[in-house]
Amino acid sequence: MQTVTMNNKLEIPQLGFGTWQIPEGKAAYESVRYALEVGYRHIDTAAAYGNEESVGRAIRESGIDREKIFLTTKLHNNDHGYEQTKEAFQESLRKLDTDYVDLYLIHWPNPIASRSHWQDANRGSWKAMEEFVRQGLIKSIGISNFREHHIESLLERAEIKPQVNQIRLYAGEQQHKLVQYCKDKQMVLEAYSPLGTGGLLSSPLIKSIAEEVGKSPAQVCLRYDVQKGHVVLPKSVTPSSILQNKDIFDFTLNAEQMARLDEMENICGPTQNPDETSF
Ligand code: A2P
């Protein structure tokens, strides 16, 4: 599995299995089990997804050595702050039934629960996360949905720089300024909703490029992000799609095809402003 090196010299597999919107129980357990069976070695979950227990059980029962799997989870929006983060992280470890996570992210920079004091709340969370890194309970730490001003505020006090920012990225939504800013700060970009939550798959442009390269529209979307250097996190509960989404390292989009995708409009709706959400 192709990897990307983070600023702490650790490797992250460039393809991960996204579990947002996969319900806890049979669906989460079976899809993660199948993803691991066909070769995924990177699973992305979150406290807010409510499926950590099934993800953990699927990993455990896969029989694959824990060290061979890259596991990410994220801090819940209601748990920002030093003490809350310490408790929330331990609860995630318990649910995942594991001794450590490979990557732990602050899921949202400015949730409604701590909006009046989001800067201090994030700094408190980060301090707790840094302590867990030193204790070996977390290997890498990062952020998700953060924009430049959220990152600036975090960096004022951070002792460990974020290793990644996980944001909404796909052909048509490339968040150019933010991506460049994160690259300048040596962060890896992780692309969530790389298929535009499925909305990109009927795009005539993507379909025509898929025909040109003899691949599926989903594979073209994922390959586009991979060639940009991003980590991709496609979600699926359908075995044939889980299998298909893995086969994105045996072909290349040429410069002209990449340029056509660069020109795409965002056909999947605007990305939410994290300072203005109701959650
Ligand atoms: P499903 O979960 O029913 O298989 P994103 O990763 O951008 O959030 O997109 C996820 C959506 O795309 C889900 O609705 C998922 O459907 C669908 N999907 C994922 N992979 C494929 C694929 N290879 N072909 C068609 N649809 C797919």
Side-chain angles (χ1 to χ4, degrees):
M1 184 65 74
Q2 193 163 303
T3 62
V4 175
T5 307
M6 294 178 285
N7 65 30
N8 59 358
K9 307 271 189 286
L10 295 178
E11 308 271 316
I12 179 168
Q14 202 169 6
L15 170 70
F17 183 69
T19 66
W20 179 44
Q21 291 181 329
I22 305 187
E24 167 71 351
K26 193 171 180 306
Y29 175 78
E30 288 184 356
S31 56
V32 173
R33 267 304 289 272
Y34 186 70
L36 291 169
E37 191 181 311
V38 299
Y40 288 74
R41 288 295 178 269
H42 172 178
I43 309 292
D44 183 276
T45 183
Y49 301 169
N51 56 21
E52 285 173 311
E53 289 190 38
S54 295
V55 168
R57 191 161 67 86
I59 290 175
R60 200 172 61 251
E61 293 179 5
S62 71
I64 300 165
D65 288 347
R66 173 68 187 86
E67 304 73 53
K68 298 220 164 81
I69 298 170
F70 189 101
L71 176 61
T72 300
T73 194
K74 313 184 191 84
L75 178 69
H76 195 285
N77 287 354
N78 293 342
D79 294 324
H80 286 208
Y82 179 73
E83 292 298 340
Q84 297 91 321
T85 300
K86 282 180 124 175
E87 276 177 36
F89 173 70
Q90 294 289 359
E91 180 67 2
S92 281
L93 273 192
R94 192 191 62 73
K95 287 190 171 158
L96 290 162
D97 193 16
T98 187
D99 298 333
Y100 70 95
V101 299
D102 294 275
L103 181 61
Y104 193 60
L105 308 179
I106 300 182
H107 204 152
W108 199 264
N110 189 358
I112 199 102
S114 48
R115 191 153 290 163
S116 61
H117 56 290
W118 65 267
Q119 308 211 15
D120 283 344
N122 286 346
R123 288 168 181 164
S125 294
W126 199 253
K127 186 166 182 273
M129 290 159 69
E130 289 173 331
E131 286 177 16
F132 285 127
V133 170
R134 291 189 191 102
Q135 292 163 21
L137 300 179
I138 305 176
K139 305 264 189 218
S140 302
I141 49 179
I143 50 187
S144 183
N145 298 295
F146 275 51
R147 294 195 172 169
E148 291 89 330
H149 60 290
H150 307 120
I151 301 172
E152 287 295 334
S153 160
L154 196 70
L155 288 177
E156 277 174 28
R157 302 277 169 79
E159 289 174 19
I160 301 176
K161 281 193 187 167
Q163 267 87 51
V164 312
N165 191 10
Q166 184 180 126
I167 59 175
R168 191 164 177 252
L169 282 179
Y170 51 79
E173 178 53 305
Q174 281 298 296
Q175 305 211 45
H176 290 295
K177 251 182 82 233
L178 177 58
V179 164
Q180 191 53 54
Y181 174 88
C182 291
K183 285 185 175 171
D184 291 345
K185 303 281 181 201
Q186 285 84 45
M187 277 177 237
V188 169
L189 277 307
E190 291 192 288
Y192 75 74
S193 300
L195 310 174
T197 338
L200 283 186
L201 303 176
S202 52
S203 147
L205 172 63
I206 288 175
K207 280 183 172 172
S208 75
I209 294 178
E211 270 177 35
E212 287 166 28
V213 295
K215 286 283 182 177
S216 73
Q219 289 167 324
V220 167
C221 295
L222 297 173
R223 182 71 207 175
Y224 175 75
D225 273 334
V226 162
Q227 285 184 214
K228 295 271 175 193
H230 308 327
V231 168
V232 281
L233 303 167
K235 169 266 177 186
S236 176
V237 291
T238 311
S240 56
S241 295
I242 295 173
L243 193 60
Q244 184 189 99
N245 294 346
K246 191 177 70 75
D247 290 329
I248 52 171
F249 297 102
D250 60 350
F251 75 107
T252 306
L253 299 170
N254 65 31
E256 182 267 333
Q257 289 159 338
M258 289 295 284
R260 276 152 69 202
L261 291 168
D262 282 340
E263 292 302 311
M264 255 187 89
E265 302 253 316
N266 182 359
I267 58 170
C268 302
T271 298
Q272 298 180 87
N273 179 340
D275 293 322
E276 292 174 1
T277 50
S278 57
F279 52 80

